[in-house]
Each structure stands twice: as structure tokens, then as C-alpha cells.
Amino acid sequence: MKVTIICSDSVHPVYPYLEQWIKRNIKSHDISIYYSINNIENGGDILFLISCSEIVRKPVREMFRYTLVLHASDLPEGRGWSPHVWDIINGKDTLILSLLNAEDSVDTGDIWQKRYISLDGSELYEEINHKVFEAELELMSWACGNIDYSKAKKQEIQGSVTDYHRKRTLEDSQLSLDKSIEEQFNLLRVCDPKRFPAYIVRNGQKYNIKLEKVNDE
């Protein structure tokens, strides 16, 4: 397989996982990774869009036999940005990862596979990422080995899908002084301690908050 990966941000936490996947599979497949679709010079078999902020239009998609997106929700529910983060904040303990075809309309393509990710409620940001990213790599490997012998299914829509998760901002990591830690624990769990740390503002002063596990013997 000739495989191309687009990941828009080289400092995104998924990037090291993609590099490891490439190392494990480079002997079996011809693999390239880029930050933008503008860097693509030749087509191939599969174009993976992993944490890709660009909308990849049909002329680019037609350069590949398959253009695939990994989206962390049970589509058609949870279209839009960072769906697994919103799910955890809302108390869900099972995440669903969908492998689907890319289309001009975001997150609407036919679905090839789904994976279920179980959480016990104690996982912090890096542990959540690890589970999600490992499932993403598993679906990438599945696609390389099985997609030619499989068939995608159309999204089963009940009624109309009108709600899309918005893109999270720095302000979404702010904790309320009027709520308990218990009430905001899931928000603390999903905050990226490096890029989007949890914080409070008290008397005009901003304070970052870091949550880490301690295993006392």
C-alpha cells in the first residue's frame, strides 16, 4: 500500500504515535507524512487524515483510492471538534472511534469500522490520549490490511443531525470557583497540561492547575 498521512500539527500529542506506527509498518507499506495537503505531490492508495484541520476537497481525494478520517465519536452522533473530550466532560465512560470516508461535508462519510474504548473514570489526559491513539493506530492497520475486502456502511441517521461540537478554546479549560472539584473533575481530566491547562481566575489573577496521580504505598 502507498499510504499518506496528514497531521496538521507536529506538536499534537498524536504525532509521536504516528511516527511509531510508521516505523512498525514502513517495511510493509510506502508511507509518507505531511503537515498540509499542499505538500502532497503524488497520490496513492490511502490518505489518512489524523487531527487534520483542513477540509480535503474532492480533487485531492481523487488522487487516492481511499481518503479516511478517524473521528472519536459514534457517528452520526458527535460530529465536529474534539467529540471524545465533550463526551468525557458530560460523564461518558465509553468512547467510540469511527473510521470513515472523507467528504466535503465534515464527518458525513460512510463508515468502515468502529472501535469501543472503555474508561474507568480515573484516567487523566495522557492516559485518555493513549487509549484513543492506540485505537486510531489499530484502525489504520486494519484499513491497510482489510479495506480492499470490506464495504463501508452509510451513517444511520435518525431524524436530522444539526448539532456539531464546536472547537474548544483556552477558555474552556477555566474552572469555576463556585463549583466543587467533584463537579469539575471530568473537566480537569481532559485539560492538556501543556497546551490548554486547567486554570482558575481569582481577584483578577489567573492560576494554572495541574492534576496528577499519586500512588502512595
Side-chain angles (χ1 to χ4, degrees):
M1 283 277 191
K2 182 173 175 54
V3 177
T4 300
I5 302 168
I6 296 294
C7 180
S8 298
D9 187 355
S10 63
V11 298
H12 191 286
V14 75
Y15 204 87
Y17 285 80
L18 296 175
E19 291 180 319
Q20 289 299 316
W21 185 85
I22 292 171
K23 288 180 180 179
R24 293 198 300 266
N25 291 277
I26 196 66
K27 292 183 179 180
S28 302
H29 307 291
D30 179 3
I31 308 172
S32 301
I33 185 168
Y34 302 109
Y35 304 137
S36 171
I37 58 174
N38 294 326
N39 300 123
I40 297 175
E41 296 180 354
N42 300 299
D45 296 304
I46 297 178
L47 172 61
F48 285 115
L49 306 178
I50 313 295
S51 298
C52 175
S53 60
E54 298 175 275
I55 295 178
V56 180
R57 301 296 183 184
K58 191 173 181 178
V60 175
R61 300 198 303 268
E62 288 181 337
M63 297 170 63
F64 298 85
R65 295 198 294 126
Y66 306 99
T67 300
L68 304 175
V69 177
L70 288 160
H71 187 76
S73 80
D74 189 13
L75 291 171
E77 294 182 9
R79 291 175 176 172
W81 294 87
S82 306
H84 72 286
V85 174
W86 295 111
D87 280 349
I88 292 171
I89 290 173
N90 290 326
K92 289 191 177 181
D93 56 10
T94 299
L95 306 177
I96 299 176
L97 182 65
S98 300
L99 175 70
L100 67 150
N101 290 328
E103 300 289 350
D104 285 345
S105 184
V106 176
D107 301 332
T108 61
D110 293 352
I111 296 173
W112 291 93
Q113 285 274 297
K114 290 185 178 183
R115 290 291 184 272
Y116 291 77
I117 304 166
S118 296
L119 303 176
D120 62 23
S122 71
E123 297 93 346
L124 302 185
Y125 175 78
E126 291 185 354
E127 295 168 305
I128 294 166
N129 277 350
H130 179 73
K131 290 188 173 185
V132 172
F133 297 160
E134 284 294 326
E136 289 187 349
L137 301 188
E138 181 183 333
L139 283 177
M140 290 171 68
S141 295
W142 176 91
C144 290
N146 298 280
I147 198 165
D148 282 338
Y149 315 104
S150 304
K151 185 177 180 180
K153 296 181 180 179
K154 291 189 177 298
Q155 296 189 28
E156 297 181 2
I157 299 175
Q158 303 293 331
S160 61
V161 178
T162 57
D163 292 333
Y164 278 71
H165 291 304
R166 63 173 174 81
K167 186 175 182 178
R168 294 181 60 77
T169 66
L170 288 170
E171 287 72 26
D172 289 308
S173 294
Q174 182 175 358
L175 303 177
S176 172
L177 295 175
D178 298 323
K179 295 181 180 179
S180 68
I181 292 176
E182 178 65 27
E183 289 177 285
Q184 301 176 95
F185 186 73
N186 284 330
L187 174 56
L188 276 167
R189 291 170 63 202
V190 301
C191 288
D192 182 334
K194 295 179 180 179
R195 299 190 303 161
F196 305 103
Y199 69 94
I200 59 172
V201 177
R202 184 177 182 275
N203 296 332
Q205 176 62 54
K206 180 179 178 180
Y207 302 87
N208 284 346
I209 296 176
K210 182 179 180 180
L211 184 67
E212 63 181 20
K213 288 183 176 180
V214 178
N215 297 314
D216 292 329
E217 294 292 335

